[in-house]
Amino acid sequence: MKRFQSFGLAILAAALLSATVAFGADPKLSAIDPPGFQRGNEIEVVFRGDRIKDAEEVIFYEPGVEMKSIAAENDKAVKVTLSVKPDCRLGKHACRLRTASGLSDVNLFYVGALPEMEEKEPNNDFKEPQPVPMGTTVNGIVQNEDVDYFVVEAKKGQRITVELTGLRLGRTFFDPFVAVYNEQRFVLAKSDDEPLVHQDCVCSLLAPEDGKYIIQVRESSYGGNGNCAYRLNVGSFPRPLGIFPTGGKPGEEVEITWLGDPSGNQSMKVKMPQTEGEFLYYPEDQYGIAPTPNRLLVSSLPSAIESEPNDKREEASPMEGPGVASGVIEKKGDEDYFKFAAKKGQTYEIRAYARETLRSYLDPVVDVYRMTNGQRLQGNDDSNGNIDSYLTVQAPEDEELVIRVRDHLGSGGPLCVYRIEVTQRAPKLTVQIPEVQQYVARTISVPQGNTMAILLQARRENFGSELNFSFNDIPEGVEVITFPMAEDSNVLPVMLRAKPDAKLAGKLVDVVAKPTKEELKLEGHVLQRSMLVRGQNNRDMWGHDAERMAVAVTEKVPFHIEIVQPKVPVVRDGSMQLKVVAKRDEGFDGEIRLRLLNDPPGIGASRSIKIAKDQTEANIPVTANGGAKIGTHKICVIGSAPYKAGTVEVSSPFADLQVEDRLVDFAFNKSACEQGQETKVVVGLSPKRDFPGDAKIELLGVPSGVTTEPVTVNKDATEAVFNVKVAEDARPGKHTSLVARITVTQNDEPIIQTNGNIELRVDKPLPPKVAVAKPKDDGKKEEAPKPKPERPLTRLEQLRLAKEQGM
């Protein structure tokens, strides 16, 4: 089994690494060994990955951990000395490794309160387990078909708590299993997929007698590999599996109850923080503190607690709307009802917080009814991939609405805790950073003396407004170039430009979006998801949510790119060639791939264009459809090139792309011609705008054997007439692939519009008529044809005939 290695104090900073070494761009970080450490200590860890030999800094998303020194062992391993403050928050932390050439992906590590030790092999025999003192965190790895055993000693009645962090380390799809045995090999407790800790494990019991207790750790189906790392916390610390009630108001002291602890339910008083939102609460008593938190919710809304009986609509517990309420689906088949006074025409948002947010055992289903007649108005089970429930409902009258809460499978129990929240629809704003590579969270690396651009996306809910953006804590020497986001747009290109002497550095930038309408008092920040572990069908199993954008100034790269500003617009149903030029440093002749950062509405651009080796320019074909948004659009081009065993990217400065209406509207008529003949194809013209000089119109897409010449028209022309020649061997049939292209030259550049749907039918010539030869006269008379014998009448016909003759 892989061991975590221990190293001496790292004293060599990355800034002192030899500049002659060819470092790698596009750094990748795959693991941190060990994956966690005790707070209040200084520890040396190893960051493992690829192309990281030029590492200079660790960027932390949460406070409490500082980098003291950094030194690269090779291109795949970097030694880092970290100082973890005594008051550092316990549990999950996220970081990125910044190198001279870029930013790595996010990796996780955990901070604990207990002394730490490493798993030591061999420990796969139940009879020879590895001894572990109570109050210890063990860092280990489960290999394929591996089973690890540890032994602790406990007194009768002592609480033994085991919490394992495996999947939550974010390395791989690891499904751990934990069991606690007595010395006679009887299972006293076991855990697999505990809701509180997602797919990880928690076992907690009171020791039935003085003695030794063996802890088994394995993969649930006896799999495993070198990435199946775990942190095993063993001690007498409290580990409630649920908390009730589910939160309180800002600054309020709330009496809560721990649920699911083997020593029984315990009541504690907890002061809520002053800010609304999620509160990470760490249960603590005289025996220790839980290694990871329970979650509570802080809200200034009026709160209520269910009062039994409330399992019928007529017995619904009262709450306010807007307001929140806490409850428990206590037994199998249980249902809880709440009622609130609603206003006619008001739209309410109703959320159930349970499994997804509170890590409850409950999979909630919510339905809303009218109190007066029991009519069901709305219901929801899972909402947009979230196992919790969310719905909106509009009150038909001034009346009480009733909310029903139940479990999806009709289950229940003391750990099926939930929170119902009723709010009125309100404006909300979130800023997102779209992925360029699927499942890879985007970062921004700006080379010295160069520019880089990124696309931001705004998610507006329940309001419309232009948005202004600000960027706080940008690296020194970096300028942000942007402009307001239009009300009818949800994307915004943002450019960052670094001075040639900007210091290599990295920052987590707070991006703030605010509506320009003064009456809208809200702001939005970045919410960026890094999917670290994906399950079946790429389901998001574990990851990290960042509220800031990672930006770094990186070392100079050997090229710049620039768009040659077009002198003419692109028109609807038109096209143009967007010219991009590269300025190369001496000695750099690599291929540069080009793509537009984003396509304006209705605009399409090729993403497969390259500036070839030793070349300095290329054209990107750009097309505008018939509904392209008219106006001036800011565009830029991203150029990527292989460099130092990786890939680097830069952007061009912004250029303006002007989109205008069509030059003309075409009217097409059907035409037909025989092989070997000529015909005229008439295309009607309805000018949409003036244009200087004459325009050239061509017929394109004519079939083989058919030829025509362009025609020239001016802005007053109402039709274009084409002389079409059809060869004798032209392919016959109906041809519908013909299009008309009009080209106008302005400022020495072409404006091109193309429209199709012209039908030309090529017919084969009719065969010549053949004269019919007269029969020869041989002197014989033709015999008159013999009359056909008359058919006998039927009896019915005979009777009808007799009636007609009056017989």
Side-chain angles (χ1 to χ4, degrees):
M1 178 173 293
K2 175 182 172 184
R3 297 279 192 88
F4 294 121
Q5 300 179 13
S6 177
F7 298 92
L9 178 65
I11 58 173
L12 181 62
L16 301 179
L17 292 173
S18 171
T20 61
V21 180
F23 301 135
D26 190 24
K28 300 295 181 185
L29 183 59
S30 57
I32 301 172
D33 290 340
F37 14 87
Q38 184 185 17
R39 62 184 178 183
N41 288 310
E42 190 170 285
I43 183 171
E44 196 164 72
V45 299
V46 179
F47 284 61
R48 303 190 186 277
D50 198 16
R51 298 184 295 276
I52 58 174
K53 193 167 186 177
D54 56 342
E56 294 189 344
E57 180 186 9
V58 180
I59 299 176
F60 300 100
Y61 279 87
E62 296 84 16
V65 184
E66 296 179 353
M67 185 189 78
K68 306 296 288 185
S69 65
I70 184 169
E73 286 191 313
N74 51 52
D75 205 30
K76 297 182 181 297
V78 176
K79 291 189 293 184
V80 181
T81 302
L82 300 177
S83 175
V84 187
K85 294 182 178 180
D87 60 351
C88 180
R89 178 178 56 76
L90 298 176
K92 182 176 79 170
H93 288 252
C95 67
R96 293 182 186 269
L97 188 64
R98 182 186 64 79
T99 70
S101 51
L103 287 164
S104 77
D105 34 6
V106 163
N107 262 238
L108 304 179
F109 62 89
Y110 278 68
V111 172
L114 304 176
E116 309 226 347
M117 63 183 296
E118 297 177 12
E119 174 211 358
K120 294 181 179 179
E121 291 288 351
N123 67 338
N124 55 1
D125 188 342
F126 182 88
K127 296 179 180 179
E128 297 182 4
Q130 178 181 343
V132 174
M134 285 287 283
T136 302
T137 298
V138 182
N139 293 301
I141 289 182
V142 172
Q143 299 284 6
N144 188 37
E145 298 184 353
D146 189 16
V147 179
D148 293 340
Y149 290 101
F150 305 92
V151 60
V152 297
E153 295 188 12
K155 298 292 185 180
K156 181 178 180 179
Q158 183 179 357
R159 181 169 54 198
I160 303 173
T161 304
V162 179
E163 180 179 330
L164 183 141
T165 303
L167 176 83
R168 291 175 295 160
L169 292 177
R171 290 193 181 182
T172 191
F173 186 58
F174 177 29
D175 184 9
F177 174 88
V178 167
V180 179
Y181 297 81
N182 61 17
E183 292 182 274
Q184 291 73 42
R185 210 162 188 160
F186 286 101
V187 176
L188 304 179
K190 60 182 179 180
S191 177
D192 181 16
D193 299 348
E194 169 60 42
L196 176 67
V197 291
H198 294 261
Q199 201 161 316
D200 287 339
C201 311
V202 170
C203 288
S204 194
L205 68 149
L206 300 180
E209 58 186 2
D210 293 356
K212 296 181 178 180
Y213 295 87
I214 292 84
I215 301 167
Q216 180 196 70
V217 177
R218 60 176 173 85
E219 202 274 336
S220 62
S221 58
Y222 291 92
N225 57 58
N227 284 322
C228 292
Y230 63 83
R231 285 173 57 78
L232 185 72
N233 301 281
V234 184
S236 293
F237 53 85
R239 179 66 287 175
L241 302 179
I243 303 287
F244 190 85
T246 57
K249 295 181 179 180
E252 180 184 26
E253 187 174 68
V254 179
E255 184 171 319
I256 62 171
T257 301
W258 293 354
L259 306 175
D261 192 274
S263 57
N265 295 344
Q266 300 181 48
S267 295
M268 297 282 176
K269 288 188 176 181
V270 177
K271 187 172 183 179
M272 298 292 112
Q274 294 294 336
T275 56
E276 295 192 14
E278 188 177 89
F279 171 38
L280 300 181
Y281 167 64
Y282 292 83
E284 184 177 10
D285 63 12
Q286 66 270 34
Y287 303 109
I289 185 171
T292 56
N294 293 78
R295 285 166 171 77
L296 298 173
L297 298 175
V298 182
S299 171
S300 58
L301 294 175
S303 61
I305 295 177
E306 69 159 321
S307 56
E308 294 286 357
N310 69 334
D311 54 357
K312 296 180 182 178
R313 178 166 53 90
E314 298 78 10
E315 299 173 337
S317 296
M319 65 175 295
E320 294 189 42
V324 297
S326 297
V328 182
I329 300 297
E330 294 181 319
K331 60 183 182 297
K332 186 175 181 179
D334 189 15
E335 296 179 348
D336 287 347
Y337 288 82
F338 296 87
K339 62 183 178 182
F340 69 95
K343 297 293 184 181
K344 180 179 180 179
Q346 177 66 56
T347 298
Y348 296 91
E349 293 182 322
I350 298 176
R351 290 179 172 83
Y353 296 103
R355 178 72 61 85
E356 193 75 22
T357 304
L358 301 175
R359 304 313 306 166
S360 163
Y361 276 50
L362 182 70
D363 178 1
V365 178
V366 171
D367 295 280
V368 180
Y369 302 87
R370 300 178 69 176
M371 173 63 86
T372 53
N373 58 14
Q375 177 190 359
R376 181 178 181 272
L377 298 177
Q378 191 60 271
N380 180 257
D381 181 4
D382 299 341
S383 173
N384 296 324
N386 186 327
I387 199 171
D388 287 347
S389 302
Y390 166 80
L391 59 86
T392 61
V393 63
Q394 187 177 63
E397 299 289 344
D398 286 349
E399 61 180 330
E400 288 186 326
L401 297 184
V402 178
I403 302 170
R404 182 184 70 173
V405 183
R406 62 183 176 88
D407 183 77
H408 173 72
L409 297 177
S411 298
L415 296 175
C416 290
V417 177
Y418 63 88
R419 179 184 180 94
I420 289 292
E421 180 183 80
V422 178
T423 58
Q424 294 178 351
R425 301 192 73 174
K428 297 174 186 176
L429 176 60
T430 306
V431 180
Q432 298 172 322
I433 307 174
E435 295 176 347
V436 175
Q437 180 182 348
Q438 192 174 24
Y439 307 126
V440 178
R442 188 79 168 131
T443 62
I444 305 95
S445 295
V446 192
Q448 293 170 317
N450 220 315
T451 57
M452 187 56 198
I454 193 169
L455 200 64
L456 296 181
Q457 192 171 51
R459 182 179 177 183
R460 303 178 182 90
E461 296 183 56
N462 308 320
F463 79 97
S465 174
E466 181 183 71
L467 300 176
N468 283 330
F469 284 75
S470 60
F471 301 83
N472 302 323
D473 206 17
I474 284 284
E476 185 178 350
V478 174
E479 175 190 7
V480 179
I481 305 166
T482 190
F483 34 86
M485 179 187 288
E487 183 173 350
D488 61 351
S489 175
N490 67 342
V491 294
L492 179 71
V494 176
M495 184 168 295
L496 292 89
R497 180 165 55 203
K499 294 180 180 179
D501 59 350
K503 182 182 177 181
L504 301 187
K507 292 285 188 178
L508 297 175
V509 177
D510 183 19
V511 181
V512 184
K514 293 183 178 181
T516 57
K517 294 180 179 179
E518 295 183 359
E519 65 270 21
L520 293 169
K521 306 298 183 183
L522 79 156
E523 61 182 38
H525 299 260
V526 163
L527 180 60
Q528 183 184 38
R529 179 69 172 176
S530 293
M531 287 178 59
L532 302 179
V533 180
R534 302 196 305 274
Q536 192 174 22
N537 298 322
N538 289 314
R539 179 187 171 196
D540 186 354
M541 300 297 297
W542 190 248
H544 174 256
D545 292 320
E547 296 179 347
R548 288 166 291 169
M549 180 175 70
V551 178
V553 177
T554 58
E555 62 187 358
K556 183 178 179 292
V557 298
F559 68 98
H560 295 70
I561 60 171
E562 184 176 350
I563 297 173
V564 177
Q565 175 62 51
K567 299 178 183 178
V568 295
V570 60
V571 296
R572 287 177 167 176
D573 293 322
S575 61
M576 70 163 39
Q577 297 291 322
L578 189 67
K579 187 175 181 180
V580 181
V581 297
K583 181 180 179 181
R584 299 175 181 270
D585 288 357
E586 185 176 352
F588 176 72
D589 62 354
E591 177 182 273
I592 304 173
R593 294 180 176 270
L594 304 176
R595 62 176 176 84
L596 254 63
L597 173 67
N598 70 300
D599 297 341
I603 299 297
S606 174
R607 304 178 77 85
S608 60
I609 303 302
K610 309 170 187 175
I611 299 178
K613 284 188 174 184
D614 299 323
Q615 299 298 308
T616 58
E617 63 183 51
N619 289 324
I620 300 177
V622 174
T623 59
N625 65 29
K629 185 177 180 182
I630 293 174
T632 301
H633 303 274
K634 293 291 184 181
I635 61 170
C636 67
V637 171
I638 303 297
S640 60
Y643 183 59
K644 294 186 177 180
T647 300
V648 292
E649 288 186 326
V650 301
S651 80
S652 71
F654 282 127
D656 290 334
L657 180 67
Q658 184 72 26
V659 179
E660 295 185 0
D661 203 356
R662 302 175 188 84
L663 295 167
V664 297
D665 281 340
F666 290 112
F668 302 120
N669 300 302
K670 297 180 180 180
S671 301
C673 186
E674 290 185 351
Q675 293 170 323
Q677 301 297 317
E678 296 184 10
T679 190
K680 294 184 182 298
V681 173
V682 180
V683 176
L685 304 176
S686 298
K688 300 281 287 183
R689 45 176 288 190
D690 289 340
F691 51 81
D694 294 333
K696 180 177 71 172
I697 303 181
E698 304 165 87
L699 278 187
L700 306 177
V702 294
S704 176
V706 178
T707 57
T708 184
E709 296 296 328
V711 299
T712 300
V713 300
N714 59 33
K715 62 183 178 61
D716 298 320
T718 59
E719 63 180 27
V721 182
F722 295 88
N723 293 319
V724 176
K725 297 179 180 180
V726 180
E728 293 181 355
D729 59 350
R731 183 166 62 87
K734 185 188 293 184
H735 304 278
T736 58
S737 60
L738 282 70
V739 297
R741 180 173 71 187
I742 180 171
T743 303
V744 173
T745 300
Q746 182 177 312
N747 298 325
D748 298 322
E749 293 184 5
I751 304 173
I752 300 171
Q753 175 191 332
T754 305
N755 292 90
N757 202 28
I758 304 174
E759 182 180 309
L760 174 65
R761 192 181 74 244
V762 176
D763 298 326
K764 290 183 178 181
L766 293 175
K769 293 184 178 180
V770 179
V772 179
K774 293 182 179 181
K776 294 180 179 180
D777 186 2
D778 55 2
K780 296 181 179 179
K781 293 183 178 180
E782 293 185 2
E783 294 183 3
K786 295 179 180 181
K788 293 182 179 179
E790 292 187 3
R791 179 177 61 82
L793 297 177
T794 65
R795 178 59 180 163
L796 180 60
E797 290 172 334
Q798 291 173 0
L799 292 173
R800 287 176 178 167
L801 181 61
K803 185 177 180 181
E804 291 173 359
Q805 294 175 352
M807 294 176 65

